[in-house]
Amino acid sequence: MRTVDLESLAIFRTVVEEGGVVRAAEKLHRVPSNVTTRVRQLEEFLGVRLFRREGRTLALSAEGHTLLNYAVRLLRLADEAVNEMRSRKPQGIFRLGSLESTAGSRLAPILSRYHADNPGVVVELVTGTTGALISRVNNFDLEAAFVSEPFTAPDLAATPVFREELVLITAKAVDRIRSAKDLGHSTMIAFAHGCSYRKRLEDWLSADNVMPERALEFASYQGMIACVAAGTGFAIVPKSVLAALHAADKVNQHGLPEHVATNRTHLVWRGQPSLALESLVGLLTAAE
């Protein structure tokens, strides 16, 4: 025996449940000598005694009790895996990443529908910047993530799912922004480096050789919009976020060049998608 296999664990569990080798052999449709051999091979591999003999019966040793706990859990997981494969119904934990903007303005109805279709799946949602999310998907820390253009992820599969319109926002007192040069002595308000929207904004500014006076970094759109409304600086946000937060009347919106304003959100993942991920992709495709 080179490793502990599920069949050996199942034989061991049956011996415990039936209280002996003979009954276990009858239930497993094996000869007793075969069952005894498999248990001894398991003991030799683990280097412990799993049973002690008390008269005509076998009793679990302390090590046997420990192994039984693991065996029951492992065999249950194996049964769940087989049931999922045969039923084609996803189950278990699905770790999903998302941009703050996508989570706040897009995902509530989608994940509600997803839960109704897949009650056996528990979605764990993690938010972050595009750069951070791609890194976590690459490391298999997340199964999939919603990220925004521009991004580079040659090892990941990707499909576009949402189209966003980005706008520049300023305080209400700022009537008009004619070009990026009008922002030269202002404060840029954005997420940390790794945010794709920030990258778009910085590229637009640098194309006109504009350097903001300073940059303030926030972790939420609520904080960013509140700071802009207070007159601290400017930011770039999706219009869908302003609508979701009921904040469109708190700031002034300014149009951006089409190559900056037009943006798509993609769902990215690595490797063969699980049943849980396949279900989400199907739901997103049907909603287009």
Side-chain angles (χ1 to χ4, degrees):
M1 181 182 292
R2 295 182 178 181
T3 186
V4 176
D5 58 85
L6 292 176
E7 185 180 30
S8 295
L9 292 178
I11 292 172
F12 165 69
R13 183 185 63 178
T14 305
V15 172
V16 176
E17 291 174 343
E18 297 300 315
V21 170
V22 175
R23 289 184 180 178
E26 291 175 355
K27 184 171 183 179
L28 295 170
H29 305 292
R30 294 171 178 261
V31 296
S33 60
N34 177 263
V35 174
T36 300
T37 298
R38 294 297 294 268
V39 171
R40 285 178 178 171
Q41 289 175 339
L42 187 58
E43 289 179 324
E44 290 173 2
F45 177 77
L46 296 174
V48 298
R49 293 295 299 272
L50 299 174
F51 295 95
R52 64 177 186 274
R53 183 167 293 279
E54 295 181 351
R56 294 186 176 181
T57 63
L58 291 177
L60 276 176
S61 66
E63 293 81 4
H65 278 289
T66 299
L67 180 62
L68 180 62
N69 289 333
Y70 282 108
V72 169
R73 288 153 61 187
L74 289 169
L75 292 168
R76 183 188 302 123
L77 284 174
D79 288 342
E80 289 177 2
V82 171
N83 290 336
E84 180 174 327
M85 294 302 101
R86 289 177 175 173
S87 68
R88 298 295 295 174
K89 292 182 179 179
Q91 299 178 30
I93 295 175
F94 179 30
R95 289 180 56 78
L96 179 65
S98 174
L99 302 167
E100 286 278 349
S101 57
T102 304
S105 64
R106 299 282 191 177
L107 294 191
I110 290 171
L111 293 184
S112 177
R113 173 66 184 278
Y114 182 86
H115 176 67
D117 292 345
N118 304 281
V121 177
V122 177
V123 177
E124 291 186 353
L125 187 65
V126 177
T127 59
T129 63
T130 289
L133 293 170
I134 285 176
S135 177
R136 296 185 72 171
V137 173
N138 269 318
N139 292 331
F140 296 103
D141 187 33
L142 296 174
E143 189 168 340
F146 292 98
V147 301
S148 176
E149 298 171 339
F151 66 88
T152 302
D155 295 329
L156 303 184
T159 184
V161 288
F162 307 124
R163 185 174 295 276
E164 299 286 0
E165 180 182 355
L166 305 179
V167 293
L168 183 76
I169 60 171
T170 65
K172 297 284 285 185
V174 180
D175 293 327
R176 184 180 178 190
I177 298 295
R178 293 178 294 274
S179 70
K181 293 180 179 179
D182 292 336
L183 302 169
H185 299 288
S186 302
T187 297
M188 181 178 71
I189 299 169
F191 286 106
H193 285 288
C195 172
S196 53
Y197 295 158
R198 174 174 180 162
K199 179 69 165 56
R200 278 180 177 257
L201 179 56
E202 289 176 333
D203 287 348
W204 178 56
L205 295 173
S206 64
D208 271 350
N209 295 315
V210 173
M211 179 69 70
E213 192 171 84
R214 61 174 179 159
L216 294 179
E217 295 182 353
F218 283 78
S220 71
Y221 278 107
Q222 291 92 332
M224 288 173 57
I225 294 170
C227 200
V228 170
T232 304
F234 63 91
I236 186 172
V237 300
K239 290 189 74 172
S240 61
V241 169
L242 291 175
L245 296 178
H246 306 289
D249 61 340
K250 304 296 191 301
V251 295
N252 266 357
Q253 301 178 44
H254 308 271
L256 291 164
E258 184 175 354
H259 71 280
V260 181
T262 302
N263 190 69
R264 291 184 302 176
T265 300
H266 297 246
L267 182 68
V268 299
W269 64 91
R270 185 172 184 179
Q272 182 67 28
S274 66
L275 291 178
L277 178 53
E278 284 183 353
S279 180
L280 178 62
V281 172
L283 181 61
L284 292 167
T285 302
E288 289 182 351

